[in-house]
Amino acid sequence: MSWPLWEVFVRGKRGLNHVHVGSLHAPDAELALRHARDVYTRRNEGVSIWVVPAGAITASSPDEKDPFFAPSGDKVYRHPTFYVIPDDVPHL
Amino acid sequence: MAFDNAYESLTEEHGEETRWAYGTGFADTMAGVAHALPAGADPADLFAYCLMLGDDALVLAQRLAEWCSRAPELEEDVALANIGLDLLGQARPLYTRAGEVYPAGRPAGVPRHVPDEDALAYFRDEHAFRNVRLVEIDCGPGPGGDFAATIARLLVFSSWRLALLSRLTSSTDPVLAAVAAKGVKELAYHRDHAAQWTLRLGDGTEESHRRMVAGLATVWPLLDELFIAHPVELRLAETGVAADPSALESEVDEVLDQVLARAGLDRPEVRPLAPVGGRAGRDGVHTEAMGYLLAEMQYLARSQPEAVW
C-alpha cells in the first residue's frame, strides 16, 4: 500500500508568495505538512507551507501549448509595456 | 532569473550560495551565552545533571539512528532522523558544559586532543551513563520492537522531556537555560509527531491497533522511573538549577491520557520495572541492552583513540 502524492508550496520568512518546491508521499494532509517541513524547510521559523493532493491539481497540457499560449504572443497591446514604472515601486 | 530555481526566491539573502533545501539564516542559539557557575551549585552535581540530560538525548538519538533507511516510508525515515539529530544537538552542549564545570569528571586516559563532548560520549562505560532506562531498550527496528513501539517511546519521552525543559528555560545555569530554550521547540515537534502517529496507528487497522497496544506495553514499565528524583536533582532544584522530576508527573499524565483517549487506546496495566537494589538508570544501573548499544556506538573511537575526525 503506497501513500498518495502531495505537492508542496513554501513561502519564505520574507517571501511574498508561495513557491512550488517539490512533492512527497504522505498518508494525509496533516502528516504531509509535517513531512514537508522536515524535507523542504528544515523548520526555519516563520515560513508558511501549503500541501495539495496532486490529484486536485489540473495542469495545462503540453500538447496544447501552442493553441494555449501562442496567440497572445503577437498582440503587443495585451502587454502593459507602454508606460514608465517609477523607480520607487517595489516588487515589479 | 528569479524563478529558474524554486529556491532562489525563498532564500533569505539573495546572492548567497543556493541551498539544496530551504532554510538559511539560522542563528547560533549558544552564542553569547554566559558561562558563570550558578550560585550555590556544586560543580560535581552540575556535571552529573548535565550528563543525565545529555545521556537521555544521546542514547535515544543512537536508537533513532538505527532506523535510518529502515522506516516504513521515505518521508518517515527523514522525520525519525531529524528527531535524532535534534536530540544529538541537545546532548553536545550539555557534555561540553559538563566538562567545563567539572574537568575532574573527564574519563581518565583519553588523549588530550579529544574534546570533552567526545570524551564523555565515547569513553565512558555503561555504569557511568546516567540516562533513564526508557531510552536504551530496543523498541525496533531490532527484534525488541517495531515502528509502533518506537512511536510509543517517543510519545512518552517527548511528553516528559518537554515538561522538563519547559521548566529548565528558567534555570539559574545559563547554559542549561539556553539548551532548554532551544529544546522546547524541538520537543514540541517530537511530541506532536509521536501523537500524530499514535492517533493513526491506534485508530488505524486492527493490526496497527494491536501493535500500538503492544508498543505501549513495552515502554510503560519504564514510565515510573522518569518521575523519581535523584539526590543530585533535588540538591540542584534547591538552587534553581534543576527541575524536580516528581513535579512533572501530573502534567505528563494529562498529555498521555488525552492522546491515548483520542487514539482509542487504554493506559497499559503493567508493573513498573523495578530499580535494582534501589538503583536505576540515573545511578548507572541499566538494562542488558545498554552494553550492546555502547559497544556499537563507541567501537571506533575506542579502537582508534588517537584518531582525529
Side-chain angles (χ1 to χ4, degrees):
Chain A
M1 191 176 71
S2 180
W3 291 350
L5 189 67
W6 299 76
E7 299 297 335
V8 182
F9 301 77
V10 173
R11 183 169 62 75
K13 229 188 274 186
R14 291 191 285 274
L16 291 166
N17 50 312
H18 286 76
V19 176
H20 182 241
V21 293
S23 50
L24 50 75
H25 292 273
D28 55 38
E30 283 299 307
L31 278 165
L33 266 185
R34 282 156 182 82
H35 289 318
R37 196 200 63 158
D38 284 340
V39 176
Y40 292 111
T41 75
R42 294 298 148 93
R43 279 173 295 156
N44 205 353
E45 267 86 358
V47 299
S48 163
I49 304 174
W50 289 346
V51 290
V52 183
I57 294 175
T58 308
S60 60
S61 159
D63 298 342
E64 293 165 24
K65 193 172 168 227
D66 279 351
F68 224 77
F69 300 111
S72 65
D74 60 345
K75 298 179 179 66
V76 291
Y77 49 84
R78 284 187 162 184
H79 302 284
T81 54
F82 296 101
Y83 54 86
V84 178
I85 299 165
D87 288 341
D88 56 352
V89 175
H91 312 312
L92 267 181
Chain B
M1 247 324 277
F3 292 99
D4 286 351
N5 176 325
Y7 294 104
E8 272 176 38
S9 59
L10 290 172
T11 43
E12 302 273 316
E13 310 295 338
H14 293 270
E16 199 181 352
E17 71 199 88
T18 312
R19 308 296 176 102
W20 64 276
Y22 172 56
T24 57
F26 289 106
D28 177 6
T29 48
M30 299 305 290
V33 171
H35 286 256
L37 194 68
D42 175 36
D45 277 353
L46 183 53
F47 172 84
Y49 191 56
C50 287
L51 289 189
M52 292 176 186
L53 297 172
D55 290 347
D56 289 344
L58 175 71
V59 174
L60 187 53
Q62 176 73 10
R63 281 299 187 200
L64 288 168
E66 293 172 357
W67 276 99
C68 272
S69 81
R70 302 170 77 178
E73 287 280 343
L74 180 63
E75 286 81 359
E76 190 54 31
D77 215 72
V78 175
L80 291 177
N82 241 320
I83 293 168
L85 286 172
D86 283 345
L87 292 172
L88 184 63
Q90 291 174 18
R92 294 185 57 192
L94 289 166
Y95 289 148
T96 301
R97 179 61 167 164
E100 177 183 70
V101 296
Y102 190 66
R106 187 180 156 101
V110 180
R112 291 175 65 88
H113 72 265
V114 176
D116 285 339
E117 55 171 315
D118 286 347
L120 290 167
Y122 292 120
F123 294 93
R124 271 183 302 149
D125 289 332
E126 180 181 338
H127 296 296
F129 271 78
R130 289 175 166 269
N131 54 281
V132 292
R133 293 176 296 177
L134 173 71
V135 295
E136 74 203 31
I137 60 166
D138 173 15
C139 284
D146 54 16
F147 183 61
T150 286
I151 289 299
R153 167 162 63 191
L154 189 61
L155 178 70
V156 169
F157 178 79
S158 56
S159 301
W160 169 71
R161 191 167 173 93
L162 179 56
L164 180 60
L165 292 192
S166 300
R167 283 163 175 75
L168 290 180
T169 53
S170 52
S171 168
T172 52
D173 183 80
V175 176
L176 284 186
V179 169
K182 179 166 180 276
V184 288
K185 295 182 207 162
E186 296 168 340
L187 265 303
Y189 172 71
H190 304 172
R191 189 179 73 174
D192 176 81
H193 189 81
Q196 291 283 345
W197 272 117
T198 304
L199 299 184
R200 280 160 184 77
L201 295 173
D203 193 23
T205 65
E206 213 171 287
E207 174 71 2
S208 75
H209 181 86
R210 184 187 70 74
R211 285 179 180 245
M212 201 61 224
V213 168
L216 290 170
T218 300
V219 301
W220 224 258
L222 294 149
L223 186 62
D224 277 21
E225 185 184 341
L226 304 181
F227 306 110
I228 297 172
H230 190 274
V232 164
E233 292 173 296
L234 291 175
R235 285 197 294 272
L236 286 176
E238 278 176 28
T239 63
V241 170
D244 178 353
S246 59
L248 309 174
E249 190 163 6
S250 60
E251 183 182 332
V252 174
D253 271 349
E254 198 180 326
V255 172
L256 295 177
D257 286 345
Q258 230 172 20
V259 175
L260 295 190
R262 272 196 56 199
L265 295 159
D266 296 320
R267 206 172 237 275
E269 284 178 29
V270 287
R271 282 225 319 268
L273 184 65
V276 180
R279 290 149 59 87
R282 289 285 187 243
D283 310 291
V285 174
H286 295 282
T287 66
E288 63 182 13
M290 189 66 178
Y292 293 101
L293 184 147
L294 290 182
E296 185 173 18
M297 189 179 84
Q298 299 178 334
Y299 167 75
L300 188 64
R302 285 184 183 253
S303 57
Q304 303 287 340
E306 297 294 336
V308 176
W309 66 85

